[in-house]
Amino acid sequence: MSRLTELLREIERKDARLAADLANEYKTLSERRAFGLNFERHVPETVDLPGRPIRRGDKVRFLPMRGASAGTIDKRLWRVASIAGTDHARVANLVRQASPDGGLETATRPLDALVVVAEFRDPVYPGLVSAGRVKRGGDKPFHTVINAENFHALQALLYTHEGKVDAIYVDPPYNSGARDWKYNNDYVDGEDLYRHSKWLAFMERRLVLAKKLLNSEDSVLIVTIDEREIHRLGLLIEQVFPEAKTQMVTITINHRGVARNREFTRVEEYAFFVFFGSAGPAQTNDDLLTGQPDDTDGDEPVRWERLIKGSNEARRQDRPNLFYPVYIDPVNKRIVKIGAALPPDVPRDSVKIPGGLVAVWPLARNGSEKRWQLAPETLTNLVAQGIAKVGAYDKRNDHWSILYLNRGQLERIDRGEIAVTGKDANGVLTLEQVSRPKRAGMTVWNRTRHNAGYYGSGMLTALIPGRKFPFPKSLYAVEDTLRFAVANKPSAIVLDFFAGSGTTAHAVMRLNRQDNGRRQCISVTNNEVSPNEQAALDVRGLRPGDAEWEAFGICDHITEPRLRAAVTGRTPEDQPVRGDYKFIDEFPMSEGFEENVEFFRMTYEAPRAVAHNRAFEAIAPLLWLRAGSQGRRIDTAADDFAVADTYGVLFDLDASAAFVEALQKAESVRVAFIVTDDEYGYQMVCTELPAYVKSVRIYESYLTNFAINTARE
Ligand SMILES: C[S@@+](CC[C@H](N)C(=O)[O-])C[C@H]1O[C@@H](n2cnc3c(N)ncnc32)[C@H](O)[C@@H]1O
């Protein structure tokens, strides 16, 4: 026993309360590490449960008065002592401990002016309700989007995906000090003295859950961050995942950079890759640093460049020495000789053309005189080396094109990316693209396709015109990142629990298209409105929970319409999405993707008051998720049992023989959920199940199977 403990005992005799407080502080201090990251854990973290019906005994807080700013949070927690009034004017009688000596304060408020609050460790009973789906992917598994507080969603996912996730990609709030995230329902700003420890506590709780979801033998967690929290996050990762191998990658996301007064111009952000078990970065064709500034990942075909200078300004009169005839033999498609440059005042018709040949001039489609890219002597040289040739004939305009290999392609030959296999009858080199050996990525990435402005915000403008989301990632940056994690796992399960605009799910769809994969992405994001929108909604007298308010939330206003637009190729206004995907897999965005997505909202159930069937409906999507999010879903408990594509549910043990028979006929079924409180009965059914079917027991009080937020975590 230390001297401190002795002193505490002494105090206890005089003032028990003071002694308890001191003992608490002492415990916190003694648990701190000597080295590493020490921070206040800010327990409890409270979470609003909007939409959860208010019942006696609930913890609630006041919603702001209509018209007042929703940003001014009344943090006081009340207990509902009773509920009174008629259906239309129901009020809650509230009580709270107002002073440490036990003094009580009471209040009465209409139910719609209150929101239920769950503190850390208060049990919560989650359910999922579908908010629609888009189906273009045949029998592929569904990507899912869950509109929820991610702390609760992660806990619910422990039931469906514990140890099953192959990759987690998260882009959390960066804690910039500019009200970019909420802790306990309140924006955290630069003035908050505890902002770093709040952020760490918030992240730690979620990373601990993330760890349980990942496959410990082979999986990757990726967390992006910028300069403001990188060091604290690095230490936190080390502490939460001591067994993993962690690397940090620097990604240039803004090539022009953000200039700051008397500071370096910032161009980058970072990603921690945390590898579990045998995992490591997949090898790819592009190390993301060396090679062409926007090297493709796939093997790039040999590109012969057109000799004509394409731009509008490339007129004959500006560079007369680049206006000359190239004489070709149109039958054998051979360049025969190069004529001399024509002075500007000499018309091209005046030039005499040798018999059997055609003079090719640098002419635009409309016949206007342009110029070539190379001087006559240079082209003569290239022809002699076999690296210039006759291209296609444009019948409509009676015009031939001339092609050559530019410096970039010659460098690829030098690097061995293009092999010279010989010469054709015209003496032109025959070339073959060589598959580049796969190699490891670098720890610094410099690709213009990772630019967040062009390929993040710009991409959103194309998909959901007029809707704004702060700082989406470049689609191609996320695609490149995920390639290192799941390139060799075509059926991977990917999770993003700070999904924002849905870039991760979109990137997974791109990867699937490139290799016919069936990867599925689970995206979790809340329905927060941005601070600016919040101010505008406050003025209109709206507040969280109102339909009009929620419609502007990120999930409903951005994530869902973005992913619908990506899959269908049509904007929310039902116009074809304009523009093409670039890099690696180029195609019109209006083609969409052959993928399935279902959108869910997390609900909060009150277990005692919920009828049996309604309770099953609330948890039905969780069973479907656990069985692989594929095919039909069993949504009601109407019959004794039900069998869908990948799973079955036995509701009444008396029907077990028929259930087992039905499962034997359904070869794609992998999971059988058996609803019973009777352990012996459950075991009996299990012995009858086909070997390839995994059994899962569910208690009859459905919701208790899924109680989350309890002391377990
Ligand atoms: C930085 S953004 C992610 C952007 C995303 N990578 C993209 O490309 O669009 C973080 C997102 O996480 C959401 N978020 C923050 N805290 C959350 C929480 N506790 N639960 C669920 N979502 C949360 C925010 O609403 C925000 O949309």
Side-chain angles (χ1 to χ4, degrees), residues 148-151 169 171-173 202 206 469-473 496-504 524-526 528 554 562:
E149 156 56 47
N150 57 12
F151 183 57
Y169 174 97
D171 169 23
F202 169 87
R206 286 152 182 82
F469 175 80
F471 310 121
K473 289 266 173 286
D496 181 347
F497 54 88
F498 285 107
S501 69
T503 313
T504 307
V524 178
T525 206
N526 58 17
E528 227 165 79
I554 285 165
R562 182 254 176 92

PDB file of all heavy atoms in Angstrom, residues 148-151 169 171-173 202 206 469-473 496-504 524-526 528 554 562, ligand 1:
ATOM      1  N   ALA A 148     -25.931   6.464 -39.654  1.00  0.00           N
ATOM      2  CA  ALA A 148     -25.898   6.199 -38.210  1.00  0.00           C
ATOM      3  C   ALA A 148     -24.722   6.905 -37.554  1.00  0.00           C
ATOM      4  O   ALA A 148     -23.745   7.259 -38.226  1.00  0.00           O
ATOM      5  CB  ALA A 148     -25.733   4.701 -37.958  1.00  0.00           C
ATOM      6  N   GLU A 149     -24.820   7.071 -36.275  1.00  0.00           N
ATOM      7  CA  GLU A 149     -23.659   7.418 -35.464  1.00  0.00           C
ATOM      8  C   GLU A 149     -22.707   6.211 -35.558  1.00  0.00           C
ATOM      9  O   GLU A 149     -23.110   5.067 -35.295  1.00  0.00           O
ATOM     10  CB  GLU A 149     -24.145   7.657 -34.028  1.00  0.00           C
ATOM     11  CG  GLU A 149     -23.115   7.468 -32.938  1.00  0.00           C
ATOM     12  CD  GLU A 149     -21.893   8.327 -33.130  1.00  0.00           C
ATOM     13  OE1 GLU A 149     -22.032   9.515 -33.397  1.00  0.00           O
ATOM     14  OE2 GLU A 149     -20.780   7.771 -33.022  1.00  0.00           O
ATOM     15  N   ASN A 150     -21.472   6.459 -35.951  1.00  0.00           N
ATOM     16  CA  ASN A 150     -20.629   5.301 -36.263  1.00  0.00           C
ATOM     17  C   ASN A 150     -20.248   4.466 -35.032  1.00  0.00           C
ATOM     18  O   ASN A 150     -19.993   3.270 -35.143  1.00  0.00           O
ATOM     19  CB  ASN A 150     -19.395   5.697 -37.083  1.00  0.00           C
ATOM     20  CG  ASN A 150     -18.549   6.737 -36.413  1.00  0.00           C
ATOM     21  OD1 ASN A 150     -18.728   7.026 -35.234  1.00  0.00           O
ATOM     22  ND2 ASN A 150     -17.614   7.298 -37.169  1.00  0.00           N
ATOM     23  N   PHE A 151     -20.253   5.085 -33.864  1.00  0.00           N
ATOM     24  CA  PHE A 151     -19.916   4.307 -32.669  1.00  0.00           C
ATOM     25  C   PHE A 151     -20.948   3.191 -32.472  1.00  0.00           C
ATOM     26  O   PHE A 151     -20.616   2.048 -32.165  1.00  0.00           O
ATOM     27  CB  PHE A 151     -19.881   5.246 -31.457  1.00  0.00           C
ATOM     28  CG  PHE A 151     -19.480   4.562 -30.190  1.00  0.00           C
ATOM     29  CD1 PHE A 151     -18.279   3.897 -30.096  1.00  0.00           C
ATOM     30  CD2 PHE A 151     -20.311   4.580 -29.088  1.00  0.00           C
ATOM     31  CE1 PHE A 151     -17.897   3.254 -28.930  1.00  0.00           C
ATOM     32  CE2 PHE A 151     -19.950   3.947 -27.914  1.00  0.00           C
ATOM     33  CZ  PHE A 151     -18.738   3.284 -27.835  1.00  0.00           C
ATOM     34  N   TYR A 169     -11.134   1.618 -44.576  1.00  0.00           N
ATOM     35  CA  TYR A 169     -10.551   2.885 -45.009  1.00  0.00           C
ATOM     36  C   TYR A 169     -11.336   3.973 -44.304  1.00  0.00           C
ATOM     37  O   TYR A 169     -12.558   4.028 -44.444  1.00  0.00           O
ATOM     38  CB  TYR A 169     -10.698   3.038 -46.529  1.00  0.00           C
ATOM     39  CG  TYR A 169     -10.244   4.385 -47.051  1.00  0.00           C
ATOM     40  CD1 TYR A 169      -8.972   4.545 -47.587  1.00  0.00           C
ATOM     41  CD2 TYR A 169     -11.080   5.487 -47.007  1.00  0.00           C
ATOM     42  CE1 TYR A 169      -8.545   5.787 -48.042  1.00  0.00           C
ATOM     43  CE2 TYR A 169     -10.658   6.730 -47.465  1.00  0.00           C
ATOM     44  CZ  TYR A 169      -9.398   6.866 -47.988  1.00  0.00           C
ATOM     45  OH  TYR A 169      -8.978   8.096 -48.437  1.00  0.00           O
ATOM     46  N   ASP A 171     -11.451   8.236 -43.296  1.00  0.00           N
ATOM     47  CA  ASP A 171     -10.985   9.608 -43.469  1.00  0.00           C
ATOM     48  C   ASP A 171     -11.741  10.407 -42.410  1.00  0.00           C
ATOM     49  O   ASP A 171     -12.775  10.991 -42.684  1.00  0.00           O
ATOM     50  CB  ASP A 171     -11.370  10.012 -44.906  1.00  0.00           C
ATOM     51  CG  ASP A 171     -11.210  11.486 -45.189  1.00  0.00           C
ATOM     52  OD1 ASP A 171     -10.431  12.137 -44.486  1.00  0.00           O
ATOM     53  OD2 ASP A 171     -11.868  11.969 -46.133  1.00  0.00           O
ATOM     54  N   PRO A 172     -11.248  10.364 -41.167  1.00  0.00           N
ATOM     55  CA  PRO A 172     -12.024  10.966 -40.072  1.00  0.00           C
ATOM     56  C   PRO A 172     -11.935  12.486 -40.123  1.00  0.00           C
ATOM     57  O   PRO A 172     -11.120  13.035 -40.866  1.00  0.00           O
ATOM     58  CB  PRO A 172     -11.312  10.429 -38.834  1.00  0.00           C
ATOM     59  CG  PRO A 172      -9.907  10.215 -39.265  1.00  0.00           C
ATOM     60  CD  PRO A 172      -9.950   9.837 -40.718  1.00  0.00           C
ATOM     61  N   PRO A 173     -12.749  13.176 -39.318  1.00  0.00           N
ATOM     62  CA  PRO A 173     -12.570  14.627 -39.216  1.00  0.00           C
ATOM     63  C   PRO A 173     -11.132  14.895 -38.782  1.00  0.00           C
ATOM     64  O   PRO A 173     -10.602  14.189 -37.929  1.00  0.00           O
ATOM     65  CB  PRO A 173     -13.550  15.023 -38.114  1.00  0.00           C
ATOM     66  CG  PRO A 173     -14.504  13.888 -37.986  1.00  0.00           C
ATOM     67  CD  PRO A 173     -13.798  12.663 -38.421  1.00  0.00           C
ATOM     68  N   PHE A 202     -12.378  10.091 -28.895  1.00  0.00           N
ATOM     69  CA  PHE A 202     -13.364   9.763 -29.939  1.00  0.00           C
ATOM     70  C   PHE A 202     -12.781   8.724 -30.912  1.00  0.00           C
ATOM     71  O   PHE A 202     -13.408   7.717 -31.223  1.00  0.00           O
ATOM     72  CB  PHE A 202     -13.681  11.089 -30.636  1.00  0.00           C
ATOM     73  CG  PHE A 202     -14.475  11.047 -31.904  1.00  0.00           C
ATOM     74  CD1 PHE A 202     -15.862  11.045 -31.864  1.00  0.00           C
ATOM     75  CD2 PHE A 202     -13.853  11.087 -33.147  1.00  0.00           C
ATOM     76  CE1 PHE A 202     -16.607  11.071 -33.032  1.00  0.00           C
ATOM     77  CE2 PHE A 202     -14.588  11.108 -34.313  1.00  0.00           C
ATOM     78  CZ  PHE A 202     -15.971  11.099 -34.258  1.00  0.00           C
ATOM     79  N   ARG A 206     -13.437   4.247 -31.403  1.00  0.00           N
ATOM     80  CA  ARG A 206     -13.845   3.671 -32.685  1.00  0.00           C
ATOM     81  C   ARG A 206     -12.783   2.714 -33.240  1.00  0.00           C
ATOM     82  O   ARG A 206     -13.106   1.693 -33.840  1.00  0.00           O
ATOM     83  CB  ARG A 206     -14.172   4.802 -33.659  1.00  0.00           C
ATOM     84  CG  ARG A 206     -15.518   5.437 -33.288  1.00  0.00           C
ATOM     85  CD  ARG A 206     -15.670   6.879 -33.684  1.00  0.00           C
ATOM     86  NE  ARG A 206     -16.959   7.409 -33.262  1.00  0.00           N
ATOM     87  CZ  ARG A 206     -17.246   7.864 -32.036  1.00  0.00           C
ATOM     88  NH1 ARG A 206     -16.323   7.854 -31.080  1.00  0.00           N
ATOM     89  NH2 ARG A 206     -18.451   8.321 -31.760  1.00  0.00           N
ATOM     90  N   PHE A 469     -20.224  19.365 -50.671  1.00  0.00           N
ATOM     91  CA  PHE A 469     -19.746  18.583 -49.533  1.00  0.00           C
ATOM     92  C   PHE A 469     -18.310  19.014 -49.263  1.00  0.00           C
ATOM     93  O   PHE A 469     -17.505  19.091 -50.193  1.00  0.00           O
ATOM     94  CB  PHE A 469     -19.804  17.083 -49.856  1.00  0.00           C
ATOM     95  CG  PHE A 469     -19.216  16.232 -48.765  1.00  0.00           C
ATOM     96  CD1 PHE A 469     -19.963  15.948 -47.639  1.00  0.00           C
ATOM     97  CD2 PHE A 469     -17.920  15.745 -48.852  1.00  0.00           C
ATOM     98  CE1 PHE A 469     -19.423  15.192 -46.613  1.00  0.00           C
ATOM     99  CE2 PHE A 469     -17.370  14.991 -47.835  1.00  0.00           C
ATOM    100  CZ  PHE A 469     -18.137  14.710 -46.706  1.00  0.00           C
ATOM    101  N   PRO A 470     -17.962  19.299 -48.008  1.00  0.00           N
ATOM    102  CA  PRO A 470     -16.603  19.775 -47.756  1.00  0.00           C
ATOM    103  C   PRO A 470     -15.567  18.652 -47.847  1.00  0.00           C
ATOM    104  O   PRO A 470     -15.729  17.617 -47.199  1.00  0.00           O
ATOM    105  CB  PRO A 470     -16.676  20.323 -46.315  1.00  0.00           C
ATOM    106  CG  PRO A 470     -17.878  19.675 -45.704  1.00  0.00           C
ATOM    107  CD  PRO A 470     -18.804  19.270 -46.805  1.00  0.00           C
ATOM    108  N   PHE A 471     -14.576  18.860 -48.657  1.00  0.00           N
ATOM    109  CA  PHE A 471     -13.390  17.992 -48.728  1.00  0.00           C
ATOM    110  C   PHE A 471     -13.627  16.516 -49.028  1.00  0.00           C
ATOM    111  O   PHE A 471     -13.175  15.643 -48.273  1.00  0.00           O
ATOM    112  CB  PHE A 471     -12.578  18.102 -47.428  1.00  0.00           C
ATOM    113  CG  PHE A 471     -12.295  19.509 -47.040  1.00  0.00           C
ATOM    114  CD1 PHE A 471     -12.724  20.015 -45.824  1.00  0.00           C
ATOM    115  CD2 PHE A 471     -11.612  20.351 -47.909  1.00  0.00           C
ATOM    116  CE1 PHE A 471     -12.485  21.335 -45.466  1.00  0.00           C
ATOM    117  CE2 PHE A 471     -11.368  21.672 -47.560  1.00  0.00           C
ATOM    118  CZ  PHE A 471     -11.805  22.158 -46.343  1.00  0.00           C
ATOM    119  N   PRO A 472     -14.306  16.189 -50.115  1.00  0.00           N
ATOM    120  CA  PRO A 472     -14.319  14.770 -50.498  1.00  0.00           C
ATOM    121  C   PRO A 472     -12.941  14.397 -51.023  1.00  0.00           C
ATOM    122  O   PRO A 472     -12.216  15.236 -51.561  1.00  0.00           O
ATOM    123  CB  PRO A 472     -15.352  14.715 -51.625  1.00  0.00           C
ATOM    124  CG  PRO A 472     -15.357  16.088 -52.217  1.00  0.00           C
ATOM    125  CD  PRO A 472     -15.012  17.042 -51.084  1.00  0.00           C
ATOM    126  N   LYS A 473     -12.589  13.137 -50.896  1.00  0.00           N
ATOM    127  CA  LYS A 473     -11.314  12.654 -51.423  1.00  0.00           C
ATOM    128  C   LYS A 473     -11.418  12.500 -52.938  1.00  0.00           C
ATOM    129  O   LYS A 473     -12.512  12.280 -53.473  1.00  0.00           O
ATOM    130  CB  LYS A 473     -11.013  11.269 -50.858  1.00  0.00           C
ATOM    131  CG  LYS A 473     -10.654  11.291 -49.404  1.00  0.00           C
ATOM    132  CD  LYS A 473      -9.145  11.348 -49.254  1.00  0.00           C
ATOM    133  CE  LYS A 473      -8.727  11.531 -47.827  1.00  0.00           C
ATOM    134  NZ  LYS A 473      -8.934  12.871 -47.284  1.00  0.00           N
ATOM    135  N   ASP A 496     -15.992   1.607 -44.492  1.00  0.00           N
ATOM    136  CA  ASP A 496     -15.609   2.994 -44.228  1.00  0.00           C
ATOM    137  C   ASP A 496     -16.634   3.552 -43.257  1.00  0.00           C
ATOM    138  O   ASP A 496     -17.813   3.673 -43.602  1.00  0.00           O
ATOM    139  CB  ASP A 496     -15.607   3.804 -45.537  1.00  0.00           C
ATOM    140  CG  ASP A 496     -15.184   5.255 -45.306  1.00  0.00           C
ATOM    141  OD1 ASP A 496     -15.137   5.690 -44.140  1.00  0.00           O
ATOM    142  OD2 ASP A 496     -14.901   5.949 -46.297  1.00  0.00           O
ATOM    143  N   PHE A 497     -16.214   3.862 -42.032  1.00  0.00           N
ATOM    144  CA  PHE A 497     -17.200   4.349 -41.065  1.00  0.00           C
ATOM    145  C   PHE A 497     -17.142   5.862 -40.863  1.00  0.00           C
ATOM    146  O   PHE A 497     -17.754   6.389 -39.942  1.00  0.00           O
ATOM    147  CB  PHE A 497     -17.144   3.568 -39.743  1.00  0.00           C
ATOM    148  CG  PHE A 497     -15.806   3.503 -39.074  1.00  0.00           C
ATOM    149  CD1 PHE A 497     -15.424   4.494 -38.185  1.00  0.00           C
ATOM    150  CD2 PHE A 497     -14.952   2.437 -39.302  1.00  0.00           C
ATOM    151  CE1 PHE A 497     -14.201   4.424 -37.539  1.00  0.00           C
ATOM    152  CE2 PHE A 497     -13.725   2.358 -38.664  1.00  0.00           C
ATOM    153  CZ  PHE A 497     -13.341   3.359 -37.776  1.00  0.00           C
ATOM    154  N   PHE A 498     -16.407   6.549 -41.721  1.00  0.00           N
ATOM    155  CA  PHE A 498     -16.533   8.015 -41.835  1.00  0.00           C
ATOM    156  C   PHE A 498     -16.760   8.290 -43.320  1.00  0.00           C
ATOM    157  O   PHE A 498     -15.967   8.963 -43.971  1.00  0.00           O
ATOM    158  CB  PHE A 498     -15.250   8.716 -41.375  1.00  0.00           C
ATOM    159  CG  PHE A 498     -15.056   8.745 -39.887  1.00  0.00           C
ATOM    160  CD1 PHE A 498     -14.103   7.951 -39.271  1.00  0.00           C
ATOM    161  CD2 PHE A 498     -15.821   9.593 -39.094  1.00  0.00           C
ATOM    162  CE1 PHE A 498     -13.913   7.995 -37.895  1.00  0.00           C
ATOM    163  CE2 PHE A 498     -15.637   9.645 -37.716  1.00  0.00           C
ATOM    164  CZ  PHE A 498     -14.687   8.845 -37.112  1.00  0.00           C
ATOM    165  N   ALA A 499     -17.832   7.738 -43.869  1.00  0.00           N
ATOM    166  CA  ALA A 499     -17.929   7.620 -45.328  1.00  0.00           C
ATOM    167  C   ALA A 499     -18.171   8.940 -46.036  1.00  0.00           C
ATOM    168  O   ALA A 499     -17.882   9.058 -47.226  1.00  0.00           O
ATOM    169  CB  ALA A 499     -19.022   6.625 -45.680  1.00  0.00           C
ATOM    170  N   GLY A 500     -18.716   9.961 -45.362  1.00  0.00           N
ATOM    171  CA  GLY A 500     -18.909  11.264 -46.011  1.00  0.00           C
ATOM    172  C   GLY A 500     -19.684  11.123 -47.300  1.00  0.00           C
ATOM    173  O   GLY A 500     -20.797  10.595 -47.325  1.00  0.00           O
ATOM    174  N   SER A 501     -19.074  11.546 -48.397  1.00  0.00           N
ATOM    175  CA  SER A 501     -19.810  11.561 -49.669  1.00  0.00           C
ATOM    176  C   SER A 501     -19.857  10.197 -50.354  1.00  0.00           C
ATOM    177  O   SER A 501     -20.430  10.069 -51.432  1.00  0.00           O
ATOM    178  CB  SER A 501     -19.190  12.586 -50.610  1.00  0.00           C
ATOM    179  OG  SER A 501     -17.916  12.142 -51.031  1.00  0.00           O
ATOM    180  N   GLY A 502     -19.228   9.187 -49.784  1.00  0.00           N
ATOM    181  CA  GLY A 502     -19.339   7.837 -50.371  1.00  0.00           C
ATOM    182  C   GLY A 502     -18.237   7.494 -51.360  1.00  0.00           C
ATOM    183  O   GLY A 502     -18.367   6.563 -52.158  1.00  0.00           O
ATOM    184  N   THR A 503     -17.115   8.207 -51.299  1.00  0.00           N
ATOM    185  CA  THR A 503     -16.031   7.968 -52.267  1.00  0.00           C
ATOM    186  C   THR A 503     -15.511   6.527 -52.187  1.00  0.00           C
ATOM    187  O   THR A 503     -15.184   5.924 -53.207  1.00  0.00           O
ATOM    188  CB  THR A 503     -14.864   8.945 -51.990  1.00  0.00           C
ATOM    189  OG1 THR A 503     -15.411  10.253 -51.826  1.00  0.00           O
ATOM    190  CG2 THR A 503     -13.880   8.951 -53.135  1.00  0.00           C
ATOM    191  N   THR A 504     -15.445   5.978 -50.967  1.00  0.00           N
ATOM    192  CA  THR A 504     -14.863   4.639 -50.824  1.00  0.00           C
ATOM    193  C   THR A 504     -15.709   3.598 -51.568  1.00  0.00           C
ATOM    194  O   THR A 504     -15.164   2.770 -52.301  1.00  0.00           O
ATOM    195  CB  THR A 504     -14.749   4.285 -49.329  1.00  0.00           C
ATOM    196  OG1 THR A 504     -14.040   5.340 -48.691  1.00  0.00           O
ATOM    197  CG2 THR A 504     -14.011   2.987 -49.114  1.00  0.00           C
ATOM    198  N   VAL A 524     -20.590   3.831 -43.519  1.00  0.00           N
ATOM    199  CA  VAL A 524     -21.374   4.371 -42.406  1.00  0.00           C
ATOM    200  C   VAL A 524     -21.101   5.859 -42.348  1.00  0.00           C
ATOM    201  O   VAL A 524     -19.939   6.292 -42.383  1.00  0.00           O
ATOM    202  CB  VAL A 524     -20.934   3.748 -41.063  1.00  0.00           C
ATOM    203  CG1 VAL A 524     -21.736   4.362 -39.914  1.00  0.00           C
ATOM    204  CG2 VAL A 524     -21.085   2.237 -41.092  1.00  0.00           C
ATOM    205  N   THR A 525     -22.151   6.635 -42.285  1.00  0.00           N
ATOM    206  CA  THR A 525     -21.939   8.064 -42.066  1.00  0.00           C
ATOM    207  C   THR A 525     -23.167   8.624 -41.382  1.00  0.00           C
ATOM    208  O   THR A 525     -24.249   8.060 -41.507  1.00  0.00           O
ATOM    209  CB  THR A 525     -21.588   8.787 -43.393  1.00  0.00           C
ATOM    210  OG1 THR A 525     -20.827   9.945 -43.110  1.00  0.00           O
ATOM    211  CG2 THR A 525     -22.807   9.131 -44.206  1.00  0.00           C
ATOM    212  N   ASN A 526     -22.987   9.694 -40.619  1.00  0.00           N
ATOM    213  CA  ASN A 526     -24.157  10.247 -39.940  1.00  0.00           C
ATOM    214  C   ASN A 526     -24.860  11.237 -40.863  1.00  0.00           C
ATOM    215  O   ASN A 526     -24.435  11.468 -41.992  1.00  0.00           O
ATOM    216  CB  ASN A 526     -23.773  10.859 -38.597  1.00  0.00           C
ATOM    217  CG  ASN A 526     -22.739  11.951 -38.750  1.00  0.00           C
ATOM    218  OD1 ASN A 526     -22.526  12.473 -39.851  1.00  0.00           O
ATOM    219  ND2 ASN A 526     -22.081  12.309 -37.668  1.00  0.00           N
ATOM    220  N   GLU A 528     -25.303  14.452 -40.328  1.00  0.00           N
ATOM    221  CA  GLU A 528     -24.998  15.802 -39.873  1.00  0.00           C
ATOM    222  C   GLU A 528     -25.242  16.805 -40.997  1.00  0.00           C
ATOM    223  O   GLU A 528     -24.995  16.492 -42.157  1.00  0.00           O
ATOM    224  CB  GLU A 528     -23.489  15.796 -39.606  1.00  0.00           C
ATOM    225  CG  GLU A 528     -23.039  16.380 -38.336  1.00  0.00           C
ATOM    226  CD  GLU A 528     -21.597  15.945 -38.101  1.00  0.00           C
ATOM    227  OE1 GLU A 528     -20.680  16.530 -38.709  1.00  0.00           O
ATOM    228  OE2 GLU A 528     -21.412  14.991 -37.326  1.00  0.00           O
ATOM    229  N   ILE A 554     -25.871  14.954 -44.481  1.00  0.00           N
ATOM    230  CA  ILE A 554     -24.888  14.420 -45.433  1.00  0.00           C
ATOM    231  C   ILE A 554     -25.371  13.124 -46.070  1.00  0.00           C
ATOM    232  O   ILE A 554     -25.291  12.928 -47.285  1.00  0.00           O
ATOM    233  CB  ILE A 554     -23.543  14.199 -44.718  1.00  0.00           C
ATOM    234  CG1 ILE A 554     -22.875  15.537 -44.510  1.00  0.00           C
ATOM    235  CG2 ILE A 554     -22.629  13.265 -45.502  1.00  0.00           C
ATOM    236  CD1 ILE A 554     -21.737  15.507 -43.527  1.00  0.00           C
ATOM    237  N   ARG A 562     -25.252  10.489 -54.382  1.00  0.00           N
ATOM    238  CA  ARG A 562     -23.983  10.320 -55.109  1.00  0.00           C
ATOM    239  C   ARG A 562     -23.819   8.869 -55.573  1.00  0.00           C
ATOM    240  O   ARG A 562     -23.442   8.597 -56.705  1.00  0.00           O
ATOM    241  CB  ARG A 562     -22.832  10.723 -54.187  1.00  0.00           C
ATOM    242  CG  ARG A 562     -21.451  10.637 -54.841  1.00  0.00           C
ATOM    243  CD  ARG A 562     -20.640   9.465 -54.371  1.00  0.00           C
ATOM    244  NE  ARG A 562     -19.391   9.381 -55.087  1.00  0.00           N
ATOM    245  CZ  ARG A 562     -18.248   9.934 -54.703  1.00  0.00           C
ATOM    246  NH1 ARG A 562     -18.188  10.585 -53.595  1.00  0.00           N
ATOM    247  NH2 ARG A 562     -17.156   9.813 -55.418  1.00  0.00           N
TER     248      ARG A 562
HETATM  249  C1  LIG B   1     -13.768  13.925 -43.621  1.00  0.00           C
HETATM  250  S1  LIG B   1     -15.321  13.331 -43.970  1.00  0.00           S
HETATM  251  C2  LIG B   1     -15.057  11.942 -44.989  1.00  0.00           C
HETATM  252  C3  LIG B   1     -15.036  12.301 -46.453  1.00  0.00           C
HETATM  253  C4  LIG B   1     -15.005  11.103 -47.364  1.00  0.00           C
HETATM  254  N1  LIG B   1     -13.754  10.394 -47.312  1.00  0.00           N
HETATM  255  C5  LIG B   1     -15.297  11.533 -48.791  1.00  0.00           C
HETATM  256  O1  LIG B   1     -14.440  11.347 -49.671  1.00  0.00           O
HETATM  257  O2  LIG B   1     -16.358  12.081 -49.012  1.00  0.00           O
HETATM  258  C6  LIG B   1     -15.847  12.659 -42.444  1.00  0.00           C
HETATM  259  C7  LIG B   1     -17.306  12.287 -42.433  1.00  0.00           C
HETATM  260  O3  LIG B   1     -17.578  11.553 -41.267  1.00  0.00           O
HETATM  261  C8  LIG B   1     -18.839  11.915 -40.760  1.00  0.00           C
HETATM  262  N2  LIG B   1     -18.812  11.719 -39.298  1.00  0.00           N
HETATM  263  C9  LIG B   1     -18.164  12.454 -38.378  1.00  0.00           C
HETATM  264  N3  LIG B   1     -18.390  11.966 -37.132  1.00  0.00           N
HETATM  265  C10 LIG B   1     -19.184  10.887 -37.292  1.00  0.00           C
HETATM  266  C11 LIG B   1     -19.769   9.964 -36.394  1.00  0.00           C
HETATM  267  N4  LIG B   1     -19.553  10.049 -35.088  1.00  0.00           N
HETATM  268  N5  LIG B   1     -20.558   9.000 -36.894  1.00  0.00           N
HETATM  269  C12 LIG B   1     -20.773   8.899 -38.227  1.00  0.00           C
HETATM  270  N6  LIG B   1     -20.247   9.737 -39.125  1.00  0.00           N
HETATM  271  C13 LIG B   1     -19.461  10.724 -38.671  1.00  0.00           C
HETATM  272  C14 LIG B   1     -19.011  13.374 -41.119  1.00  0.00           C
HETATM  273  O4  LIG B   1     -20.361  13.683 -41.260  1.00  0.00           O
HETATM  274  C15 LIG B   1     -18.254  13.462 -42.435  1.00  0.00           C
HETATM  275  O5  LIG B   1     -19.136  13.335 -43.487  1.00  0.00           O
END
